[in-house]
Amino acid sequence: MSDSQHEIIVCQGTGCVSGGAEQLYSLLQKELAELNLSDSVQVKGTGCHGFCQRGPLVVVEPEGLFYSKVGPDDIPDIARSFLPDGRPVDRLFYYDSTIGRTLPCYHDIPFYYKQQRLVLRNCGHINPESIDDYIESGGYQAIHKAVFEMTPEQIIDEVKQSGLRGLGGAGFSAGQKWEACYVEEADQKYVICNADEGDPGAFQDRSVLEGDPHSVLEGMIIAAWAVGASQGYVYVRAEYPLAVRRLKIAITQARERGFLGKGILGSGFDFDIEIFQGAGAFVCGESTALVLSIEGKRGLPKLSPRPRTTQYGLWGKPTVLNNVKTLANIPLIINHGSSWFASRGTEHSKGTAIFSLTGNVVNSGLVEVPMGTRLRDIIFDIGGGIPNGRAFKAVQTGGPSGGCLPAELLNLPVDFDSLTEAGSMMGSGGMVVMDQDTCMVDVARYFLDFTRRESCGQCIPCRVGTKQMFDILDHICRGQGRPEDIDLLEELGKSIAETSLCALGQSAPNPVLTTIRYFRDEYEAHIKEGYCPAGVCFFYQ
Amino acid sequence: MEKVKLIIDDLALEVDEGTSVLAAALQNDIYIPHLCYHPALEGRGACRLCIVEIDGSLATACRVEVEPGMVVRTKSPEIDQAIRPVVELLIANHHITCRGCPSSGKCQLQKLMAQLRIDRRRVRRLRVPDEELPLDTSPPCFDYDPNKCVLCGICVQTCEDLHGTSSLYFLNRGNETRIAFYGDESRCASCMECIKRCPVGVLMPKQTRSTD
C-alpha cells in the first residue's frame, strides 16, 4: 500500500466493543507506533457501522477496505499492511456466500450498497466524541440556517412539507406536532427526545446516539427554535451506558461551541439540554408515561380523551416529544429542503425506515432503506437470507407488539400503512427473522411474556388479559391446550385491543392474532394432534 | 347551573353541565358497567368497562362530559364483544367463588356479573391463578386481600382527594400490581373512607384493633 495519509476506522459501537474493539483500537495504535507509521496512519473510533454480525469491524480509508471479525492477532498484519511493501490482509475480507466471492471494499458489499443511509449518514464515519468531526461532515449548518435565515413558521412548514412521520412507532406527522406546540401560548415549552428504546432486539436508537449524538442534538435545537422551547430533555434508557456517555460528551461540546446555552450563536435564542435516564420500564416509552416519569411520578400512560402533550406536557407545559431517528432527520430536511426528503419513500410514508435486522438471518445488523422497500429485499438482498440452508418462515416487525408475517407477504412494501394493514406495525423498527425451526406458538408466548411483564397494571384488559393470554399459550406449548383455546385467544385478543387504555395494551395481542391468522395449523397441531411441528415445544405427560 | 339535554338509550335526559356521561346515566337509573368510578371522584377510566357508543364511536363514559344533543347507546353487540371478555377475565382472576366473602351481596363485581348475565361456562374456559396470595396485614388501618383486588384505584384516589397526599399507592407492575400502604400509622387519618368505598371489599377493617 502507498504511504499517503490513511485512516483506520475501528468500530466502537456496543456490538464491536463487546467483541473487544476497544482493545483492538489501543493495540493498533501501539503497533503503528512501533512501525513508525503513526504520522501517516490515523486510528479513529466511530459509532456503529451496522454490520454487527461481522464485528469487530475495521475499515481502512480512503480505499474503503473492509475487515471483518478482526481479532487481536490480526492487528500486527493490519499495521504492517501500511508499510511500503505492505499488502492488504485478504483473510479478513468479507466473503459473500451467495455470490461466492470475496469483497474487499465495503461499498461492494450488498449489505451496504443496497441501503440508503440518511439517519445513519455519519454512523461509522465520524468520531462520535468529536464535535469537529461532526462539523466537518456538514453538521450544525442547519442550525445556522434555521436560526438566521428561517422563521419558526418556515421551519414548521418545511418539516410538514417533507412528510416526515414520527419514527418512534405512531407515525404522526412531525410537522403537525411541532405546529400544535408552536401555536400554544406559554411562558415555558419543552422539547423531549424519546430514547427509551425498549423493544427486544431493537438497537437503532442506541446506535444513532452512540454513533452520531450531535445530529440528535441539532434536531432538538431546531425543534426548540421552531416551537419556542428553552429546555430540552433526552430520556434515555439507563441500560445504554455508552449512549449516555457519548451524549454527555456531545452536550458539553455543544455548550462550549455556543450551540447550546444562552444566546445560541449570538442570537437571542436560549436552549439547553439535560439527560434523564429511564429506570427500566418499557411503558415509559409511551409519551404520557415518559412525561410523568421525568416529573418523578409512576410511569402510567394517561387516559384518553386527554389534552395532547403538545398542549399539556411536561410540568403542564406545551411539549414536543420526538423519537431519536425523527430528530436526526431534521438537520437533513433543513439543509436539503423538504422536496429532497420527500423524493424518497412512498406516497404516505416519506424518507427512510431503519430496522434492527436480527434473528435467523445471515447479515444481522442495522439497516436503513427507503420507505416502501419490500420485506424480501431487506431480508434476502441486504440480510443475505437465512443461514444454514434453512427455509424462511416468518418475520416479526415492530417489536413485542408487532405481528409475525409469513412468506406469502415477503413482497409487502415496508411502510407505516402496509404493515398495519397486514396486522403488524412499523413500531420503533425491530425486525426479527425466523426460519423453519421456529415454533410460532412459542414465539407468540415469548412476546406475550414480555408484554405481560411490562404492562403498567393500570387497566384491566392489559393487566389481566396479557397474563391470561400468556397462560393459555404456555399451556398450549406444554401440550395442555384445549380445543376451544384458539377461538378464545382470538376473542380475548380483539377485546384487549379494543378496550386497553394505551398503545401497549392495544397492540399487545398482535403477535397472537397474526400467528393464528397466518400459522393456525401450528396451533392446531399442538392442541389437536399433540405435537410441535417445529420440534421446539416439549410436551410433558 | 346550566342544564344539558342529551339522549341515552332513546331516553331524553336533562343533566347538569359538566356531568360525565357515566354519571348522567347512573343518575337516571341507566346502568353502565363500571368498577373504578365513584361519584365523589374524577373518572379514572382504568377499568375500561364503561365503554359506550357516543355519537357513533366507542368511548369511556366516565371520561366524557355531556354535550347538548349527544346521542349515547349503552348496549350494542359491539360494546358487548369488547367488554364481556374483560369482565370474564376479571372474574377468572378474582378467585371465582363468592362463598364466604365478606362483601358478598354488596359487591360491585357481583352486580356487574348479574347485569351482564355472565355465563360461568364461558369463564371456565379461562385459566385461573394457581397461587393464593397471603392477606396483607401490615397496613396500620386495614387488612388487604390482593387475590380479590380489582385495582380500581378508588382507595388511592380517595386518600389523595381527602388528605392531599395518598398514603396508599400502587406497588409493582403488570399482574403483580398491588395496593400498598406507604409510611407508618401517622400517615393515616383513620377516616376509613378507603374501606367504605372499596367496590369489592378487599380492604377490610382490622380484625383486632388496638384498644388504647
Side-chain angles (χ1 to χ4, degrees):
Chain A
M1 271 192 231
S2 69
D3 59 352
S4 63
Q5 197 69 33
H6 278 91
E7 204 168 51
I8 308 181
I9 293 167
V10 184
C11 178
Q12 302 286 306
T14 291
C16 289
V17 165
S18 63
E22 275 174 337
Q23 189 201 359
L24 299 182
Y25 183 87
S26 49
L27 278 177
L28 201 50
Q29 277 182 321
K30 202 173 121 216
E31 202 72 34
L32 288 169
E34 278 172 18
L35 297 170
N36 284 325
L37 287 168
S38 298
D39 292 336
S40 59
V41 184
Q42 301 290 323
V43 185
K44 182 158 118 178
T46 65
C48 181
H49 284 69
F51 206 171
C52 309
Q53 174 94 38
R54 309 290 303 180
L57 302 174
V58 172
V59 173
V60 178
E61 296 285 14
E63 291 89 344
L65 294 179
F66 183 82
Y67 294 140
S68 62
K69 299 208 175 206
V70 180
D73 301 342
D74 302 319
I75 294 299
D77 289 341
I78 294 177
R80 274 197 291 277
S81 74
F82 295 94
L83 290 169
D85 58 343
R87 302 260 317 132
V89 193
D90 318 28
R91 68 168 188 279
L92 298 174
F93 288 150
Y94 170 72
Y95 176 76
D96 192 313
S97 54
T98 49
I99 53 171
R101 270 181 57 201
T102 300
L103 303 169
C105 292
Y106 73 82
H107 30 253
D108 294 330
I109 299 173
F111 179 81
Y112 285 111
Y113 78 73
K114 295 208 168 158
Q115 293 192 43
Q116 205 176 95
R117 298 192 149 208
L118 298 188
V119 173
L120 303 174
R121 58 194 178 276
N122 292 327
C123 290
H125 298 293
I126 66 166
N127 177 354
E129 299 184 7
S130 155
I131 193 169
D132 290 321
D133 257 29
Y134 182 66
I135 292 172
E136 251 171 60
S137 71
Y140 286 119
Q141 279 175 10
I143 293 190
H144 267 278
K145 189 170 171 187
V147 175
F148 295 111
E149 295 169 31
M150 295 171 87
T151 62
E153 293 88 344
Q154 282 172 324
I155 296 172
I156 290 169
D157 215 45
E158 201 68 34
V159 177
K160 262 167 77 177
Q161 292 293 327
S162 75
L164 174 66
R165 289 171 68 170
L167 294 167
F172 189 75
S173 157
Q176 278 179 29
K177 191 185 262 187
W178 288 16
E179 189 173 44
C181 186
Y182 168 75
V183 298
E184 292 294 318
E185 299 257 346
D187 53 346
Q188 171 88 57
K189 293 181 188 177
Y190 297 100
V191 170
I192 303 175
C193 169
N194 185 349
D196 191 49
E197 181 178 53
D199 295 2
F203 49 87
Q204 57 280 66
D205 291 354
R206 188 192 72 199
S207 296
V208 173
L209 289 176
E210 287 176 2
D212 193 13
H214 285 286
S215 69
V216 181
L217 299 186
E218 191 174 5
M220 287 180 76
I221 297 165
I222 294 166
W225 167 247
V227 304
S230 56
Q231 179 64 47
Y233 292 92
V234 183
Y235 189 96
V236 58
R237 301 181 73 188
E239 293 91 332
Y240 284 177
L242 187 59
V244 172
R245 196 179 87 204
R246 293 200 176 142
L247 261 177
K248 278 184 185 160
I249 295 170
I251 290 172
T252 311
Q253 288 173 340
R255 277 187 194 136
E256 283 165 10
R257 299 296 176 93
F259 296 119
L260 280 176
K262 293 248 174 261
I264 290 175
L265 300 176
S267 68
F269 163 46
D270 305 336
F271 181 65
D272 208 352
I273 296 175
E274 270 180 52
I275 297 172
F276 192 96
Q277 293 189 42
F282 177 69
V283 76
C284 285
E286 199 273 348
S287 59
T288 53
L290 187 152
V291 164
L292 284 174
S293 172
I294 295 182
E295 290 175 2
K297 298 176 187 146
R298 188 177 164 96
L300 300 176
K302 278 192 191 158
L303 302 139
S304 59
R306 63 186 182 213
R308 289 202 169 275
T309 310
T310 47
Q311 296 169 323
Y312 190 91
L314 185 60
W315 315 112
K317 302 293 181 188
T319 303
V320 160
L321 195 141
N322 284 133
N323 176 266
V324 170
K325 293 162 295 214
T326 316
L327 289 165
N329 267 309
I330 297 296
L332 290 174
I333 293 170
I334 298 300
N335 282 331
H336 301 284
S338 55
S339 45
W340 172 86
F341 184 84
S343 67
R344 4 322 2 241
T346 63
E347 195 185 344
H348 298 293
S349 305
K350 298 296 184 194
T352 55
I354 306 175
F355 288 101
S356 310
L357 190 62
T358 53
N360 303 124
V361 63
V362 173
N363 304 330
S364 63
L366 203 58
V367 172
E368 183 171 359
V369 289
M371 292 274 185
T373 305
R374 295 181 312 166
L375 278 170
R376 180 185 299 282
D377 300 337
I378 299 175
I379 297 165
F380 288 91
D381 292 352
I382 296 172
I386 316 299
N388 308 325
R390 295 297 199 210
F392 171 88
K393 186 176 211 172
V395 57
Q396 206 260 4
T397 68
S401 328
C404 297
L405 306 175
E408 299 92 89
L409 291 178
L410 274 173
N411 287 335
L412 193 77
V414 170
D415 61 63
F416 288 103
D417 310 312
S418 308
L419 285 174
T420 309
E421 214 171 282
S424 187
M425 58 189 215
M426 185 75 103
S428 86
M431 188 176 277
V432 185
V433 182
M434 302 165 206
D435 70 9
Q436 62 190 68
D437 296 335
T438 314
C439 168
M440 300 316 289
V441 187
D442 184 55
V443 165
R445 176 185 164 279
Y446 169 83
F447 284 114
L448 262 290
D449 190 27
F450 181 87
T451 37
R452 80 168 168 125
R453 285 169 200 276
E454 293 299 338
S455 162
C456 77
Q458 192 176 198
C459 77
I460 298 169
C462 180
R463 181 182 73 233
V464 188
T466 52
K467 165 78 164 60
Q468 180 67 234
M469 288 181 99
F470 168 78
D471 285 348
I472 296 172
L473 292 164
D474 194 45
H475 277 181
I476 298 176
C477 286
R478 287 195 277 136
Q480 295 161 1
R482 303 174 194 161
E484 70 272 19
D485 278 347
I486 303 178
D487 292 341
L488 177 61
L489 282 171
E490 283 191 309
E491 200 182 299
L492 289 174
K494 282 175 196 153
S495 166
I496 294 165
E498 181 78 60
T499 53
S500 286
L501 191 155
C502 80
L504 189 151
Q506 285 159 11
S507 57
N510 279 344
V512 184
L513 295 176
T514 51
T515 47
I516 294 180
R517 184 163 147 193
Y518 299 121
F519 302 95
R520 197 183 182 98
D521 51 332
E522 287 196 34
Y523 281 85
E524 283 169 353
H526 280 77
I527 296 169
K528 293 180 188 157
E529 292 153 47
Y531 82 107
C532 171
V536 172
C537 303
F538 183 72
F539 290 179
Y540 304 96
Q541 288 308 313
Chain B
M1 192 178 267
E2 293 280 320
K3 292 282 183 185
V4 174
K5 287 182 181 171
L6 77 161
I7 297 171
I8 302 183
D9 289 347
D10 301 326
L11 278 173
L13 307 174
E14 206 177 67
V15 295
D16 289 342
E17 195 184 39
T19 312
S20 70
V21 172
L22 177 59
L26 295 176
Q27 285 162 18
N28 289 280
D29 293 325
I30 300 168
Y31 181 76
I32 296 176
H34 64 275
L35 271 179
C36 71
Y37 172 77
H38 188 277
L41 301 168
E42 195 198 342
R44 215 175 135 246
C47 73
R48 317 303 295 159
L49 295 175
C50 66
I51 287 177
V52 293
E53 200 180 290
I54 299 176
D55 296 334
S57 53
L58 297 185
T60 39
C62 69
R63 300 279 298 174
V64 180
E65 279 184 17
V66 290
E67 273 173 39
M70 202 176 237
V71 179
V72 180
R73 298 210 62 79
T74 68
K75 285 170 196 70
S76 78
E78 219 189 336
I79 296 170
D80 193 76
Q81 262 173 31
I83 67 163
R84 183 170 297 274
V86 180
V87 179
E88 290 167 354
L89 279 168
L90 198 56
I91 295 163
N93 202 46
H94 181 85
H95 293 248
I96 233 158
T97 172
C98 297
R99 204 178 302 139
C101 177
S103 64
S104 185
K106 48 186 196 276
C107 168
Q108 285 295 318
L109 191 55
Q110 277 179 331
K111 185 173 176 186
L112 195 61
M113 286 169 69
Q115 288 281 350
L116 287 176
R117 296 172 192 272
I118 292 294
D119 181 349
R120 286 198 179 252
R121 277 171 307 186
R122 280 173 54 86
V123 179
R124 275 188 216 111
R125 297 178 304 166
L126 300 166
R127 275 49 169 185
V128 290
D130 36 32
E131 50 164 0
E132 180 102 8
L133 297 159
L135 204 66
D136 179 7
T137 54
S138 64
C141 38
F142 55 73
D143 291 338
Y144 169 65
D145 183 357
N147 300 296
K148 293 192 170 179
C149 182
V150 294
L151 293 162
C152 64
I154 288 176
C155 52
V156 174
Q157 243 181 319
T158 296
C159 194
E160 191 171 289
D161 191 48
L162 295 178
H163 308 295
T165 130
S166 184
S167 46
L168 298 170
Y169 206 60
F170 302 101
L171 179 75
N172 301 338
R173 69 176 178 227
N175 206 47
E176 311 286 303
T177 312
R178 309 270 174 269
I179 297 295
F181 189 89
Y182 288 73
D184 59 17
E185 202 162 350
S186 66
R187 298 252 304 172
C188 176
S190 300
C191 71
M192 300 293 165
E193 261 326 290
C194 53
I195 298 176
K196 275 184 226 157
R197 290 183 184 181
C198 178
V200 287
V202 298
L203 299 185
M204 293 158 286
K206 283 270 179 207
Q207 296 299 314
T208 48
R209 291 192 60 82
S210 54
T211 49
D212 51 15

